Amino acid sequence: MWQKKGVIYKPDGSLAHSRSHAQVPFAYKHPDFLRVYFSSRDDNGYSRPTFIDVDYEDPTKILYIHDRPVLELGGPGEYDETGAMPAWFVDMPNGDIWLYYTGWNRTWNSYRLSMGLAVSHDGGLSFTKMFRGPIMDRSIENPLWAAQPSVIREDDGTWRMWYISGHKCEYIHGYPEPYYRGQSATSTDGIHWKISDVPTLDFDDFLHAVGRPSVFKEDGIYKMYYSYRHTRDYRTDRNQSYRLGYAESVDGEHWERKDNLVGIHKSENPEDFDYQMIDYANYYTHNGKKYLLYNGNGFGAAGFGYAVWED
């Protein structure tokens, strides 16, 4: 079971790029400390990636808070004009770091998401877009949008991606609510992707939206933590809101949901930061221990916490 250890970080609102939210945390391992990238919001509600550095043995011990975003927004009309949300970081052989991220475009009544790629030449302190346009966008396979990829570069050079794919939108209580499921894709260069026609996580009576897949390989098996929710009243009703799930795959394409093995759930204490929802998990290991970063209430407005696996 996962043993919750508490909240690590929530912005205090003192930084212009980080007035609120510490969303979709990602554990990037340095030799002497853990860097946690996340998405934070400014006064306009626009998201940008930034980070904090924490102690490995006690992640609640914050060593450094970065005072600026690591990636700026795109220009007028570009796919990331109103938001850039980090998804996954990949170390490259030449020392560069590739950042796969979600670009946000607000529309008159909703939003559109696309998938971008940026690169860092300075160890992850700053990133620049590799292309003006997205590497994946709405298409035949992704009718509404494509976002939040989890990426693995295999030993044979094959790239694999698992992401969320918007498939339809329905008005509920007068607001357009999107339905999005899990998809997968493969690539030879990490830039151009071939999308599988086999859903990674398909819709069912409750799973109407999948939040942020986090995939890793362990003992030759692909494993995934993800969050999922219903579309109706998920912002206000904790019974409909995000909870965490778990799945496994032998080939990376065909997945079996094993949510009974997830080992972590919403708190039953109304005072806790993860009482209303628990979402956007990211798995990592250190010194033989297994850790999980995750968000709680308000889609990251309450900050992110961590848990440690105990048999």
Side-chain angles (χ1 to χ4, degrees):
M1 294 288 293
W2 291 104
Q3 298 299 318
K4 297 178 182 179
K5 299 298 184 179
V7 177
I8 295 175
Y9 181 71
K10 175 186 175 181
D12 63 10
S14 62
L15 299 171
H17 71 284
S18 185
R19 299 299 192 197
S20 70
H21 290 73
Q23 196 171 359
V24 292
F26 182 93
Y28 186 88
K29 298 174 69 174
H30 279 263
D32 301 319
F33 58 86
L34 180 71
R35 177 161 292 167
V36 182
Y37 289 97
F38 58 91
S39 175
S40 204
R41 300 185 188 181
D42 64 15
D43 290 326
N44 295 316
Y46 294 174
S47 297
R48 293 175 179 83
T50 188
F51 68 84
I52 62 172
D53 296 334
V54 302
D55 183 81
Y56 270 119
E57 301 306 319
D58 179 7
T60 63
K61 183 180 179 182
I62 298 173
L63 308 176
Y64 172 75
I65 299 174
H66 202 46
D67 63 355
R68 67 198 67 186
V70 299
L71 177 68
E72 272 299 343
L73 303 182
E78 295 185 9
Y79 69 94
D80 50 358
E81 179 182 3
T82 59
M85 180 178 287
W88 214 259
F89 297 76
V90 179
D91 290 322
M92 300 300 291
N94 66 352
D96 288 347
I97 304 172
W98 283 15
L99 164 58
Y100 291 86
Y101 70 98
T102 298
W104 287 73
N105 271 141
R106 290 183 176 177
T107 62
W108 71 274
N109 67 341
S110 185
Y111 58 89
R112 176 180 175 179
L113 307 179
S114 305
M115 199 181 299
L117 183 58
V119 62
S120 174
H121 305 299
D122 60 7
L125 296 177
S126 64
F127 290 81
T128 57
K129 291 168 65 170
M130 293 177 64
F131 311 101
R132 291 283 299 281
I135 61 167
M136 192 180 294
D137 202 347
R138 64 169 58 157
S139 62
I140 294 173
E141 297 89 355
N142 307 308
L144 295 188
W145 41 255
Q148 286 306 105
S150 175
V151 179
I152 290 179
R153 190 166 181 254
E154 304 277 22
D155 293 338
D156 65 0
T158 301
W159 293 72
R160 307 201 71 145
M161 173 196 289
W162 301 267
Y163 68 99
I164 57 178
S165 175
H167 274 251
K168 66 177 180 176
C169 198
E170 293 182 355
Y171 278 94
I172 298 175
H173 304 317
Y175 187 83
E177 297 287 6
Y179 290 68
Y180 41 98
R181 70 184 189 189
Q183 297 280 136
S184 67
T186 56
S187 173
T188 59
D189 59 8
I191 299 171
H192 305 90
W193 294 88
K194 180 180 180 182
I195 300 170
S196 171
D197 59 2
V198 178
T200 298
L201 299 165
D202 210 350
F203 300 113
D204 64 19
D205 289 341
F206 186 91
L207 190 155
H208 293 173
V210 175
R212 205 272 183 88
S214 181
V215 178
F216 59 100
K217 288 184 77 172
E218 188 176 68
D219 302 324
I221 298 174
Y222 296 91
K223 300 180 179 182
M224 177 196 299
Y225 287 97
Y226 59 95
S227 42
Y228 65 106
R229 60 167 174 77
H230 200 274
T231 299
R232 184 173 295 274
D233 300 323
Y234 63 91
R235 295 179 181 86
T236 57
D237 184 349
R238 71 186 300 266
N239 295 314
Q240 304 287 76
S241 66
Y242 272 126
R243 72 280 320 273
L244 293 181
Y246 173 78
E248 294 183 352
S249 172
V250 175
D251 61 5
E253 186 174 25
H254 301 83
W255 289 79
E256 180 182 359
R257 291 177 62 183
K258 298 184 176 183
D259 294 337
N260 60 306
L261 301 180
V262 69
I264 188 169
H265 306 280
K266 301 174 193 176
S267 172
E268 295 301 320
N269 182 355
E271 301 300 317
D272 287 344
F273 95 113
D274 56 354
Y275 173 76
Q276 289 291 340
M277 61 182 70
I278 184 170
D279 44 14
Y280 309 142
N282 182 235
Y283 171 92
Y284 72 98
T285 62
H286 178 68
N287 285 345
K289 291 185 177 181
K290 302 176 181 180
Y291 295 84
L292 202 67
L293 301 175
Y294 63 95
N295 282 127
N297 303 336
F299 312 96
F304 61 85
Y306 81 107
V308 180
W309 183 265
E310 296 181 6
D311 293 319

